[in-house]
C-alpha cells in the first residue's frame, strides 16, 4: 500500500495529497467507489451538497471500515444556501451521517436567490457568506474552511475586507494542463492558500464542455505515459502534485481508483514536466453560464 502523503494548510492541518472526487457519480456508484477507495489507501473524500450524493458518500465511508478520524471529508456550501450557512452545514452533516467536517468550502463566489436561481440574492454576496463561514469554526463541527472556484479578483475582495479574520485554508479550482492557471496558483501561494485540483483529468471524451478536455488523449501526455509505463491519468495527477497541488480525481471504476492512487516511488523528470507545461491547448470543463453572474473572468492564466 502506498504511503499517504499530506500537504500543509495555513491552519496547521495536513490535507491528503490524493483524494477521491465524486462529482457526477451516481448514487450506488458513489457508495461503492468511496468504499473501494478507502479500502485501498485513500484518506480524502470530496463531495458537495450540489452533487446530491452526500448520503451515499457517508454510506461508503461507514461501509469501508476505516475509522472516521482517519478520513478527511470535504463538502461544499451550495450557491442558494449562502444566506443560510449554518443550515447548509447541518444539511450536509445530516446527509453524510457525520458529526464534523474536515473542510467546508464555499462552492462558488455566487450568492443565488433560492426562490429564483436565475437571480443573484439581493443585498448579499460572498463577503457576507464568509462572515458566516468563520463563525462555524467555533461550533466544533468544522475544522477548516475555504473556498472553491475563487479567482484572484474574488480573493482580493475577500482578503481586503475588514470582516475577513480567517484566510481560506484551501481554494479548490479546476487545474490541468489545458487550464493551468499559473497566476492564480502563484497568488494563492503568496497568501498561503493551498490549492486542490478538481477535473484534474479533464472531461469525458464523449461530453467535452467549453472545448476538448479529454487530456488522456493528448499526444504529449500519451508520449510521457508510454515512456514512463504509466497511465495518462497518473501522468496528469503527478504533474499537479509536482506543482504543490492536491488532487481529487473522480472515478467509479475500481482499477482506475487504484491506479490513480499509485503515485508514490516515481516522478516526472524536469524535461517531462516542462513538456507538459508547454502544452498550448486551452479548455475548461466547468463553465459559469448556468449562474446569474460570471465567476470565471479569464484573467488568471
Amino acid at each position: 500500500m502506498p504511503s499517504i502523503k499530506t500537504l500543509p494548510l495555513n491552519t496547521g492541518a495536513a490535507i491528503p495529497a490524493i483524494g477521491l472526487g465524486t462529482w457526477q457519480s451516481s448514487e450506488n456508484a458513489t457508495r461503492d467507489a468511496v468504499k473501494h477507495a478507502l479500502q485501498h489507501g485513500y484518506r480524502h473524500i470530496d463531495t458537495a451538497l450540489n452533487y446530491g450524493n452526500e448520503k451515499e458518500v457517508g454510506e461508503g465511508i461507514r461501509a469501508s471500515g476505516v475509522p472516521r478520524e482517519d478520513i478527511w471529508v470535504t463538502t461544499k456550501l451550495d450557491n442558494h444556501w449562502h444566506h443560510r450557512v449554518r443550515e447548509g452545514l447541518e444539511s450536509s452533516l445530516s446527509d453524510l451521517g457525520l458529526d464534523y467536517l474536515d473542510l467546508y468550502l464555499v462552492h462558488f463566489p455566487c450568492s443565488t436567490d433560492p426562490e429564483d436561481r436565475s437571480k443573484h440574492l439581493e443585498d448579499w454576496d460572498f463577503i457576507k457568506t464568509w462572515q458566516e463561514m468563520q463563525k462555524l469554526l467555533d461550533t466544533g463541527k468544522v475544522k477548516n474552511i475555504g473556498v472553491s472556484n475563487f479567482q484572484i479578483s474574488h480573493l482580493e475582495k475577500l482578503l481586503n475586507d475588514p470582516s475577513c479574520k480567517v484566510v481560506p485554508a484551501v481554494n479548490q479550482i479546476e487545474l490541468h494542463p489545458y487550464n493551468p492557471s499559473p497566476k492564480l496558483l502563484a497568488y494563492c501561494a503568496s497568501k498561503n492558500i493551498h490549492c486542490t485540483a478538481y477535473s484534474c483529468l479533464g472531461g469525458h471524451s464523449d461530453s467535452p464542455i467549453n472545448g476538448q478536455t479529454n487530456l488522456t488523449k493528448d499526444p504529449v501526455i500519451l508520449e510521457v505515459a508510454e515512456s514512463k509505463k504509466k497511465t495518462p491519468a497518473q501522468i496528469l495527477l503527478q504533474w499537479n502534485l509536482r506543482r504543490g497541488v492536491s488532487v481529487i480525481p473522480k472515478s467509479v471504476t475500481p482499477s482506475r481508483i487504484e491506479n490513480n492512487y499509485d503515485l508514490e516511488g516515481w516522478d516526472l523528470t524536469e524535461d517531462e514536466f516542462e513538456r507538459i507545461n508547454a502544452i498550448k491547448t486551452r479548455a475548461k470543463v466547468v463553465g459559469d453560464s448556468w449562474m446569474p453572474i460570471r465567476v470565471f473572468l479569464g484573467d488568471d492564466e
Side-chain angles (χ1 to χ4, degrees):
M1 183 80 64
S3 63
I4 302 166
K5 181 182 178 182
T6 60
L7 297 166
L9 303 183
N10 60 27
T11 60
I15 188 171
I18 309 166
L20 180 74
T22 61
W23 179 45
Q24 295 182 328
S25 294
S26 64
E27 294 178 1
N28 288 336
T30 297
R31 184 186 306 110
D32 293 341
V34 168
K35 176 184 176 182
H36 189 81
L38 289 172
Q39 290 180 339
H40 287 80
Y42 285 73
R43 290 298 179 266
H44 180 190
I45 305 296
D46 179 271
T47 184
L49 191 155
N50 174 267
Y51 301 168
N53 60 14
E54 288 176 316
K55 180 174 180 288
E56 290 71 32
V57 166
E59 291 172 353
I61 288 172
R62 287 183 288 280
S64 74
V66 176
R68 167 66 183 100
E69 60 269 21
D70 293 344
I71 305 170
W72 182 285
V73 179
T74 298
T75 194
K76 310 173 193 78
L77 178 78
D78 206 0
N79 295 352
H80 60 285
W81 289 77
H82 274 215
H83 62 311
R84 300 171 292 166
V85 169
R86 187 67 68 93
E87 292 92 331
L89 170 64
E90 294 297 342
S91 173
S92 288
L93 288 174
S94 175
D95 283 346
L96 286 162
L98 300 178
D99 296 326
Y100 70 92
L101 298 173
D102 298 274
L103 179 62
Y104 196 37
L105 305 177
V106 179
H107 205 157
F108 286 94
C110 175
S111 305
T112 304
D113 187 340
E115 302 301 321
D116 184 352
R117 298 188 193 180
S118 68
K119 296 180 180 179
H120 198 265
L121 197 63
E122 288 189 19
D123 301 320
W124 197 275
D125 63 12
F126 61 81
I127 299 295
K128 291 185 177 180
T129 308
W130 192 248
Q131 292 170 10
E132 296 303 309
M133 290 285 287
Q134 292 177 133
K135 296 176 183 177
L136 299 180
L137 294 172
D138 296 326
T139 67
K141 296 181 177 182
V142 175
K143 293 189 174 183
N144 303 273
I145 57 173
V147 296
S148 181
N149 296 298
F150 273 51
Q151 308 297 287
I152 293 173
S153 58
H154 302 125
L155 291 168
E156 285 273 79
K157 181 178 179 180
L158 177 62
L159 297 175
N160 289 327
D161 192 274
S163 69
C164 181
K165 308 299 183 185
V166 178
V167 175
V170 170
N171 186 16
Q172 187 180 121
I173 50 182
E174 181 179 342
L175 289 172
H176 48 72
Y178 289 0
N179 191 64
S181 302
K183 290 181 182 177
L184 180 54
L185 269 187
Y187 179 85
C188 288
S190 75
K191 303 299 182 181
N192 201 17
I193 300 171
H194 173 76
C195 289
T196 294
Y198 73 75
S199 293
C200 41
L201 304 180
H204 300 294
S205 59
D206 58 346
S207 59
I209 304 169
N210 298 338
Q212 177 53 259
T213 51
N214 187 22
L215 279 88
T216 58
K217 298 293 178 64
D218 182 273
V220 173
I221 301 300
L222 286 171
E223 288 173 14
V224 174
E226 185 175 356
S227 69
K228 305 291 280 192
K229 300 294 187 285
K230 300 295 181 182
T231 68
Q234 287 173 318
I235 300 301
L236 290 163
L237 296 172
Q238 199 71 270
W239 175 79
N240 255 324
L241 291 178
R242 179 77 169 264
R243 304 164 89 211
V245 171
S246 57
V247 293
I248 46 171
K250 176 254 178 173
S251 181
V252 296
T253 306
S255 61
R256 289 179 181 170
I257 289 172
E258 293 172 35
N259 283 337
N260 290 346
Y261 192 75
D262 188 14
L263 302 176
E264 289 283 340
W266 64 278
D267 201 352
L268 300 174
T269 66
E270 189 64 26
D271 177 68
E272 290 164 342
F273 182 64
E274 291 303 331
R275 285 182 64 199
I276 297 171
N277 287 341
I279 291 173
K280 299 301 183 186
T281 305
R282 292 293 176 263
K284 275 178 62 59
V285 175
V286 176
D288 57 9
S289 60
W290 56 279
M291 287 184 279
I293 61 171
R294 288 192 65 205
V295 299
F296 300 125
L297 309 176
D299 59 352
D300 295 327
E301 278 293 306

